[in-house]
Amino acid sequence: MSAFGALDPARGEPRAGEANASASASGVPPGPVRLFRPISADDEEQLPAEIESLCMACFRNGVTRLLLTKIPFFKEIIVSSFTCNSCSWSNSEIQSAGRIEDQGVCYTLAVRHKQDMNREVVKTDCATARVPELDFEIPAFSQKGVLTTLEGLIDRAIAGLEQDQPGRQESDANVAKKIDEFISKLKHLKEVESPFTFILDDPSGNSFVENPRAPLKDEGLVVTHYRRTAQQAAMLGIEPEEPCETLVDSAEDLRNEVLQFNTNCPECNAPASTNMKLVQIPHFKEVIIMATNCDACGHRTNEVKSGGAIEPLGTRITLQVTDSSDLTRDLLKSETCRVEIPELEFELGMGALGGKFTTLEGLLKDIRDLVEKNPFNLGDSSLPDRAEKLSAFGRKLQQIMDGKLQVHVTLDDPAGNSYLQNLYAPEEDPAMKVERYERLFEQNEELGLNDMKTEGYEADGSPLR
């Protein structure tokens, strides 16, 4: 039997009887067994499964090891490694085992120093990597998914180009010479003799480029989320999004009804249910609150979506936190909102933590957990000074929650769908400043408004003649 135990063929999960029997034998109370377990050096049960496989180099049998694990704040992945004892050939790759994200993601990194080559990079097989200065591109599905560094990604490209060079030199010496010149340029690229741009575009939204200055803002890294095109959706093997049918005809009935639909738990993948309700926030607007509870593993999560349209103007709310009573203010953070704390030189980007309806204290706790559990700042590869900075940042957040440190908290939402409770409503709050501003072209591009046409249509949606 493999290291993952007996699997239910219908659901790909351990059979309940065998899972509970093994748990009882070890003295551990019976409970759900998760296939995807967080990476931990102390977990002795997290062993890879070994499968005898054919070596593609010498055509003898080798061993493939499969490990189902979960990267915190990223997703479930399958790590596979093949080794041949006969010819010593080896190969490793990762595959995403989680769902495809709702939006694609594009990372644009300005590489200025050689330290940038050490940034961790998660590149899925459907991602495209580019260096515009060299007119160099690694197309989608030309490489397997990999967890490496920027330097390692370039090394893989160099190894791929050098692989067939002996054959090219015999068949076409001119082509081989040009490829040798290009390989030389790639090797000089690793030395960062001059700045260049690295772009990682993934329509599945499952790739990642490390921010080594976390929790501070990375001035050299720009993260953009976008809607997939029909061609990208077809490339990923998914259907294009279709307009959803109206759930209820009456808006009043929707406000009074809790809708429920079936889904899967993001932690253990067991069947679960999500509750959704439309709620009116006083002095603001309607929002949709969704909550998911899993009876199998006890995981609970909630998310907030704006129930209205994108506002004509962006909103920037700045609150001066002076005492502990300010931490009890209700707060709505949409998925398009950025959070800034100038005194700590901290900025939380758009899309991080998703949409939340909580209190200011709850938001600070979520930020602290996000920073402290960042997997790219833990383990043997982490730097001591970076770990100390993160620890100091966590202590400052705790001082804010204890009322010992006064700071300013800014919610900057270009969509205008975020909210912070005004304790003096409907009068102005002396500790809170609300600004309305015109969005920039780049902000409209991120929200998908530049290509959106709403004029020139009939009432039924057909174009005007």
Side-chain angles (χ1 to χ4, degrees), residues 107-123 129-131 136 138 143 146-158 186 189-192 195-200 208-210 220-221:
Y107 293 88
T108 304
L109 173 64
V111 182
R112 302 186 181 93
H113 310 286
K114 194 171 182 179
Q115 291 83 352
D116 290 328
M117 303 300 294
N118 296 326
R119 290 177 184 249
E120 299 281 355
V121 175
V122 177
K123 178 187 175 297
R130 299 195 301 273
V131 179
F136 171 68
I138 303 176
Q143 289 184 352
V146 64
L147 170 60
T148 180
T149 62
L150 179 54
E151 182 178 6
L153 201 63
I154 296 177
D155 283 335
R156 285 168 63 92
I158 293 175
L186 287 178
L189 205 66
K190 296 194 300 179
E191 302 300 325
V192 197
F196 66 91
T197 304
F198 173 73
I199 301 175
L200 185 63
F208 177 81
V209 176
E210 178 193 10
L221 182 64

Side-chain angles (χ1 to χ4, degrees), residues 217-251:
K217 180 181 179 181
D218 192 339
E219 299 295 341
L221 182 64
V222 178
V223 184
T224 306
H225 297 271
Y226 61 88
R227 292 185 180 273
R228 282 184 290 270
T229 63
Q231 292 80 2
Q232 290 173 328
M235 179 184 70
L236 297 174
I238 59 178
E239 294 292 333
E241 295 183 2
E242 298 180 356
C244 297
E245 298 181 357
T246 305
L247 296 178
V248 289
D249 297 331
S250 172

Side-chain angles (χ1 to χ4, degrees), residues 10 36 66 88 258 270 366 386 423 445:
F36 296 92
L66 296 176
S88 300
V258 178
D366 290 338
R386 185 187 304 175
L423 300 179
E445 188 70 20

Side-chain angles (χ1 to χ4, degrees), residues 38 58 96 105 133 145 147 150 184 194 242 251 308-309 351 378 410-411 422 458:
C58 66
S96 175
V105 64
E133 287 81 358
L147 170 60
L150 179 54
S184 178
S194 60
E242 298 180 356
L378 302 174
T410 301
L411 304 180
N422 178 359
E458 298 284 359

Side-chain angles (χ1 to χ4, degrees), residues 69-353:
T69 187
K70 178 180 179 182
I71 298 179
F73 305 104
F74 185 49
K75 57 178 70 264
E76 296 87 356
I77 63 171
I78 301 174
V79 182
S80 62
S81 174
F82 175 82
T83 304
C84 178
N85 295 327
S86 301
C87 66
S88 300
W89 186 74
S90 62
N91 182 34
S92 63
E93 64 178 274
I94 67 167
Q95 294 181 353
S96 175
R99 68 180 183 89
I100 295 176
E101 295 297 320
D102 297 331
Q103 292 182 318
V105 64
C106 180
Y107 293 88
T108 304
L109 173 64
V111 182
R112 302 186 181 93
H113 310 286
K114 194 171 182 179
Q115 291 83 352
D116 290 328
M117 303 300 294
N118 296 326
R119 290 177 184 249
E120 299 281 355
V121 175
V122 177
K123 178 187 175 297
T124 63
D125 51 0
C126 61
T128 300
R130 299 195 301 273
V131 179
E133 287 81 358
L134 290 184
D135 197 18
F136 171 68
E137 177 176 311
I138 303 176
F141 301 105
S142 62
Q143 289 184 352
K144 296 295 185 180
V146 64
L147 170 60
T148 180
T149 62
L150 179 54
E151 182 178 6
L153 201 63
I154 296 177
D155 283 335
R156 285 168 63 92
I158 293 175
L161 291 174
E162 290 178 338
Q163 183 176 1
D164 298 328
Q165 276 298 86
R168 294 193 192 101
Q169 290 173 354
E170 295 179 0
S171 60
D172 195 335
N174 291 330
V175 174
K177 181 179 179 182
K178 292 180 180 179
I179 293 179
D180 282 334
E181 293 175 354
F182 190 79
I183 291 174
S184 178
K185 292 180 180 179
L186 287 178
K187 291 180 178 179
H188 284 89
L189 205 66
K190 296 194 300 179
E191 302 300 325
V192 197
E193 296 176 353
S194 60
F196 66 91
T197 304
F198 173 73
I199 301 175
L200 185 63
D201 190 349
D202 187 355
S204 72
N206 290 331
S207 292
F208 177 81
V209 176
E210 178 193 10
N211 172 12
R213 300 184 68 245
L216 304 180
K217 180 181 179 181
D218 192 339
E219 299 295 341
L221 182 64
V222 178
V223 184
T224 306
H225 297 271
Y226 61 88
R227 292 185 180 273
R228 282 184 290 270
T229 63
Q231 292 80 2
Q232 290 173 328
M235 179 184 70
L236 297 174
I238 59 178
E239 294 292 333
E241 295 183 2
E242 298 180 356
C244 297
E245 298 181 357
T246 305
L247 296 178
V248 289
D249 297 331
S250 172
E252 189 63 33
D253 293 340
L254 185 60
R255 293 188 183 93
N256 298 328
E257 183 178 357
V258 178
L259 302 177
Q260 187 176 85
F261 55 91
N262 296 327
T263 183
N264 288 77
C265 174
E267 285 291 326
C268 66
N269 206 36
S273 60
T274 296
N275 296 326
M276 181 175 67
K277 191 176 189 305
L278 190 64
V279 177
Q280 174 69 43
I281 297 180
H283 308 287
F284 188 52
K285 61 171 65 175
E286 291 178 332
V287 297
I288 300 173
I289 299 180
M290 296 184 292
T292 302
N293 297 330
C294 179
D295 296 332
C297 67
H299 176 73
R300 303 178 63 184
T301 183
N302 64 81
E303 188 174 1
V304 177
K305 300 284 187 181
S306 173
I310 295 177
E311 296 294 321
L313 298 175
T315 303
R316 184 181 294 108
I317 307 173
T318 303
L319 173 67
Q320 183 179 5
V321 182
T322 55
D323 54 51
S324 57
S325 63
D326 290 325
L327 300 175
T328 62
R329 293 176 185 249
D330 290 333
L331 179 144
L332 171 65
K333 175 196 170 299
S334 73
E335 51 276 289
T336 59
C337 178
R338 292 182 173 87
V339 181
E340 300 176 8
I341 306 178
E343 288 81 359
L344 303 186
E345 298 183 357
F346 172 77
E347 177 177 337
L348 185 69
M350 180 187 300
L353 293 179

Side-chain angles (χ1 to χ4, degrees), residues 4-8 12-19 33-35:
F4 300 117
L7 300 182
D8 189 316
E13 297 178 353
R15 289 193 285 266
E18 299 186 19
V33 178
R34 291 186 294 177
L35 288 179

